[in-house]
Amino acid sequence: MPALVAMLFGGLTLLELDSRVSLSHELLAGGAESAASSVEVVVYPGKGSPLIGEVRVVFAAPGRGQVRTVLQYCEDDRQGMPEGVQTPAPGTRYAMPLQIVYLPSDPSTALAAVDARDWTMDRRTPRNGWGLLVGGSTFLLLAMVLLTIGARRRGLSWWEWYSEGRLERTGPQ
């Protein structure tokens, strides 16, 4: 079971990272940049400690006026902020002045410029995701092989590794 959890976690990490990096590349290559005139962070309660759920920004986009949107992705960088909706504390990741990159055709698709740059240069997270995926797969295959060998020793077909053993039939057939 831990091997399946590792595979699932690794696969989901890679899928989410791929979408973050793709959007980051798209916005950095063909997007526009603006400074946010207003930033609000929504800090939700977490199991151990609160976490950032959304970052709401207002920024000026040429030809569109003031745009209100929620950043597509955000890092959990609450740095001691309490739960609730609030302005980010000075010195935190989303504090003012926050630079935004957005699609000129759809300004609601936006990221913090610092996030876009960090995600395109991140080499550690993909390595960790692949490690979990490959490691989990390896342990899963090893477990399957060992279970199959055990089933064959008990006189069962290779796919019957979950059975107790052959049932002896008594009486007429």
Side-chain angles (χ1 to χ4, degrees):
M1 189 63 143
L4 287 173
V5 171
M7 284 176 52
L8 180 64
F9 189 70
L12 291 175
T13 298
L14 290 172
L15 284 174
E16 192 218 355
L17 182 67
D18 182 54
S19 63
R20 281 184 181 206
V21 170
S22 296
L23 181 60
S24 296
H25 280 295
E26 181 181 356
L27 293 177
L28 290 173
E33 195 163 330
S34 181
S37 58
S38 170
V39 180
E40 289 182 332
V41 177
V42 181
V43 180
Y44 293 112
K47 265 193 168 183
S49 63
L51 53 99
I52 289 182
E54 322 184 313
V55 178
R56 301 172 184 163
V57 295
V58 178
F59 61 94
R64 306 270 184 155
Q66 293 292 312
V67 176
R68 293 182 175 279
T69 190
V70 174
L71 298 181
Q72 295 293 315
Y73 298 100
C74 61
E75 290 287 328
D76 184 25
D77 187 20
R78 63 180 182 79
Q79 295 184 350
M81 290 187 276
E83 296 174 17
V85 179
Q86 58 208 284
T87 303
T92 60
R93 185 176 198 94
Y94 300 110
M96 297 289 287
L98 180 65
Q99 293 297 312
I100 305 294
V101 288
Y102 64 94
L103 284 178
S105 60
D106 179 16
S108 65
T109 303
L111 288 176
V114 65
D115 288 341
R117 288 186 191 99
D118 284 354
W119 294 332
T120 56
M121 295 178 24
D122 183 14
R123 300 293 176 252
R124 188 191 61 179
T125 306
R127 223 178 9 245
N128 292 345
W130 279 110
L132 286 170
L133 188 63
V134 170
S137 300
T138 302
F139 282 117
L140 182 66
L141 288 172
L142 179 64
M144 289 173 62
V145 166
L146 293 175
L147 288 170
T148 299
I149 290 171
R152 297 299 291 164
R153 284 186 182 148
R154 290 180 288 153
L156 302 170
S157 298
W158 67 270
W159 64 86
E160 295 179 313
W161 51 265
Y162 53 87
S163 299
E164 291 293 321
R166 293 218 182 267
L167 296 175
E168 298 296 325
R169 292 188 182 239
T170 56
Q173 300 203 15

